[in-house]
Amino acid sequence: MADYYDDLLRICGFEVEEIDKERARIEKAFRRLELGPDDMKSAESWVRKNHDVELMGVRKLLGAWLKELLDLVLARDEGKKVVYYGFPTIQGPGLAIKAAAPDIIYSACPDVVLCHTMGQIFNKLTPILEAGEEDGLPPGHGLCSLQQIRVGGLAKGIIPIPDLVLTSSYYCDMGSLTDQLLHERYGHPAIYVDGSMDSRWGEYPAYQSKRVEFLGAQLNELFDRVKEILGIEITRDAWDKAISISRYLYSGIGHCGELIKADPMPISQAEVGLAMWLTSGCTGRAMSEGPGAIDILNQEIKRRVDEGVGVVEKGAPRVMTILTHYSDASITRMIEDAGLANCATLFSSPPPKAKSKTTYKTLGETIAEREMRVGFFHSSYGFVQRTAKAIEDFHLDGIIWNYIYNCRPLAITSHFLRKWVDENIGIPTLPLETDNFDSRTYSAEALRTRVETFADMLRAKKASVAA
């Protein structure tokens, strides 16, 4: 018999038999999340407004996020050992832990899961943010809203206290400090991965070997501590399994990125973000549900390209943003409603390929070398070069550098990147102060005027060049 949540779940790609099989889990999780019939009706409207649910691939991705939410909320009840990692973080350790013991480990970044579900699907993230503000991360202090979400989720008892937390203390110092606060409050152990982002301007994609050796030693120590705390050994085989699945997912996302280069742009960046952040936000449903959903989505996008269907007009100015909005897709949609083809993010172009096979022997050093090549844990100049690559790959007319005002690693790039792009590439950049996890202050309406003005300028520039 149908229940109050069935319609929403079907919109989010659940099959009828899946709903029937999972009813007990769904109802238990929704009670803990304080989600009732009225929330389902408003969620249906919110999802239809901000996501292209006529595409089955989009529906399946939304469903994967919802299933991950159920797994997160019920992980402790279902006997799993719970491992949290931060965002952004070095990709791999959380996935490798899951791959080493898939039946007994739940591993994810809970803040990212809550953004994409309680935010993007239910539009009910505010109570969680407020709980985080009341429980140690008060408003008005420039504190990370992503960390407020984690603190709030624990304070409200909707996510379980973890058995272990993995955190990077050199890229995001606020994440490690928050985990220290939570350790003092709840007692769970945390492993802090230290490192350095010091490098000479212009060095990327080269790197100093001592940086790989130091970060690699930190990661090797992390794996030793995981064995000590959880009794799980992270072997090279577990890492190889984790990275092979990850490569398949990123290959599908890369294919999506190639399709979105079409003119007119065939799909919103909001939908691409559902796939991109599933791969880094969780290690469970990303692996089991992600590949199939992304394959379906790519087939649907290809049909749109062949038919000349777009979400913006043909010839619209092409722009990139740093990130899509994690919790409020209406902001990503607003950029497109302004007539801009938001066809790329900082993560859309692949990093430089390794020039030679790695000479490092330990697992930690192998991962560290990979992160140096990716660039985001390398340096601010790494950010600049990844931006330049996206400009080249996607033939961009402009950049919306939607930097997060309370994130020091991203905020410091906001104006020197604009200067560098202006001097070296010559396309306009709009530094846009925002918050990609919390839209209470930086809503779509609050940002609309600046984006529309920028769009008018880019259209006028394109017209003058064409003339």
Side-chain angles (χ1 to χ4, degrees):
M1 184 175 72
D3 215 319
Y4 66 92
Y5 46 77
D6 285 51
D7 288 344
L8 175 66
L9 296 189
R10 282 196 291 267
I11 291 170
C12 293
F14 279 69
E15 304 295 337
V16 172
E17 55 270 23
E18 283 184 300
I19 300 173
D20 289 338
K21 181 181 177 182
E22 295 289 315
R23 284 197 190 279
R25 296 181 77 240
I26 293 165
E27 290 169 7
K28 185 176 184 180
F30 282 2
R31 283 195 300 271
R32 193 166 295 168
L33 291 161
E34 300 175 349
L35 296 171
D38 290 343
D39 296 307
M40 299 300 141
K41 291 299 180 185
S42 64
E44 288 177 38
S45 174
W46 182 247
V47 168
R48 288 186 184 280
K49 177 182 177 182
N50 294 310
H51 288 290
D52 201 345
V53 294
E54 72 174 49
L55 299 177
M56 180 54 71
V58 171
R59 295 166 70 178
K60 289 293 185 182
L61 285 167
L62 289 166
W65 279 111
L66 264 182
K67 292 170 188 175
E68 186 68 28
L69 177 66
L70 300 179
D71 294 345
L72 167 62
V73 172
L74 301 176
R76 178 73 65 212
D77 304 57
E78 296 174 344
K80 297 292 180 67
K81 291 185 176 181
V82 179
V83 177
Y84 292 156
Y85 51 86
F87 186 90
T89 192
I90 295 168
Q91 289 297 303
L95 185 56
I97 293 169
K98 175 71 172 182
D103 296 329
I104 65 172
I105 291 291
Y106 175 83
S107 174
C109 179
D111 350 335
V112 171
V113 176
L114 290 173
C115 275
H116 284 85
T117 51
M118 296 303 288
Q120 285 213 38
I121 294 176
F122 293 104
N123 193 22
K124 203 174 178 183
L125 198 59
T126 296
I128 300 173
L129 283 159
E130 290 175 344
E133 290 170 343
E134 293 169 1
D135 208 52
L137 299 181
H141 289 71
L143 300 175
C144 177
S145 51
L146 202 58
Q147 305 301 324
Q148 289 171 330
I149 291 167
R150 179 177 298 197
V151 172
L154 286 165
K156 289 177 69 66
I158 62 177
I159 62 174
I161 297 169
D163 295 284
L164 177 64
V165 168
L166 316 176
T167 185
S168 163
S169 60
Y170 74 97
Y171 180 86
C172 176
D173 59 334
M174 204 178 304
S176 59
L177 289 171
T178 301
D179 284 320
Q180 185 176 359
L181 165 70
L182 294 173
H183 164 74
E184 295 297 328
R185 179 156 298 170
Y186 299 107
H188 58 268
I191 302 175
Y192 302 94
V193 177
D194 201 0
S196 169
M197 289 184 70
D198 293 338
S199 67
R200 292 182 294 272
W201 185 262
E203 184 178 57
Y204 180 81
Y207 51 82
Q208 300 174 43
S209 60
K210 62 184 179 181
R211 291 189 62 189
V212 173
E213 292 161 5
F214 181 80
L215 180 56
Q218 291 280 301
L219 292 169
N220 287 329
E221 184 179 350
L222 179 150
F223 295 137
D224 291 341
R225 291 286 311 283
V226 167
K227 184 176 180 181
E228 175 188 324
I229 295 167
L230 299 179
I232 296 170
E233 184 172 4
I234 310 303
T235 63
R236 177 73 65 166
D237 286 344
W239 168 252
D240 288 344
K241 178 181 177 182
I243 206 66
S244 67
I245 298 171
S246 180
R247 282 193 184 121
Y248 183 85
L249 284 164
Y250 280 110
S251 174
I253 294 168
H255 182 47
C256 181
E258 289 297 312
L259 291 169
I260 207 173
K261 291 178 181 179
D263 188 15
M265 188 177 75
I267 192 171
S268 170
Q269 193 65 230
E271 319 306 1
V272 181
L274 289 176
M276 174 63 75
W277 307 123
L278 183 69
T279 61
S280 54
C282 63
T283 67
R285 298 296 178 162
M287 304 300 110
S288 61
E289 310 278 335
I294 294 169
D295 285 347
I296 292 169
L297 182 62
N298 283 338
Q299 293 169 23
E300 293 173 318
I301 299 172
K302 179 64 165 58
R303 283 197 292 272
R304 284 190 170 184
V305 172
D306 292 342
E307 295 167 4
V309 175
V311 296
V312 293
E313 290 184 357
K314 186 177 178 65
R318 303 174 70 78
V319 301
M320 70 172 283
T321 53
I322 304 179
L323 306 169
T324 55
H325 203 288
Y326 279 43
S327 64
D328 188 349
S330 70
I331 293 174
T332 304
R333 288 285 188 175
M334 176 270 294
I335 294 170
E336 294 156 0
D337 290 344
L340 296 175
N342 182 17
C343 59
T345 69
L346 195 58
F347 299 84
S348 295
S349 292
K353 291 184 178 180
K355 292 182 178 180
S356 59
K357 196 170 183 178
T358 181
T359 58
Y360 293 102
K361 302 299 183 185
T362 70
L363 179 54
E365 288 173 330
T366 301
I367 298 172
E369 185 181 36
R370 175 174 173 265
E371 290 301 329
M372 290 301 102
R373 191 171 67 253
V374 169
F376 305 122
F377 285 88
H378 181 289
S379 61
S380 293
Y381 185 74
F383 270 77
V384 167
Q385 288 302 302
R386 291 298 301 273
T387 303
K389 185 67 163 53
I391 293 170
E392 177 186 357
D393 287 351
F394 288 84
H395 306 290
L396 300 179
D397 299 297
I399 300 172
I400 298 177
W401 199 254
N402 55 327
Y403 67 95
I404 305 168
Y405 88 99
N406 53 4
C407 175
R408 284 179 285 282
L410 286 181
I412 62 174
T413 65
S414 60
H415 289 73
F416 78 69
L417 182 131
R418 178 184 188 177
K419 183 175 186 292
W420 189 92
V421 169
D422 181 62
E423 293 175 353
N424 293 274
I425 298 178
I427 67 171
T429 300
L430 171 65
L432 191 67
E433 182 176 289
T434 185
D435 187 331
N436 287 72
F437 317 116
D438 175 9
S439 58
R440 290 176 297 174
T441 299
Y442 298 96
S443 66
E445 292 308 311
L447 301 172
R448 184 182 300 277
T449 299
R450 294 193 66 197
V451 171
E452 288 178 342
T453 302
F454 188 64
D456 288 341
M457 182 187 72
L458 292 181
R459 281 190 289 268
K461 184 177 180 182
K462 283 199 73 167
S464 67
V465 170

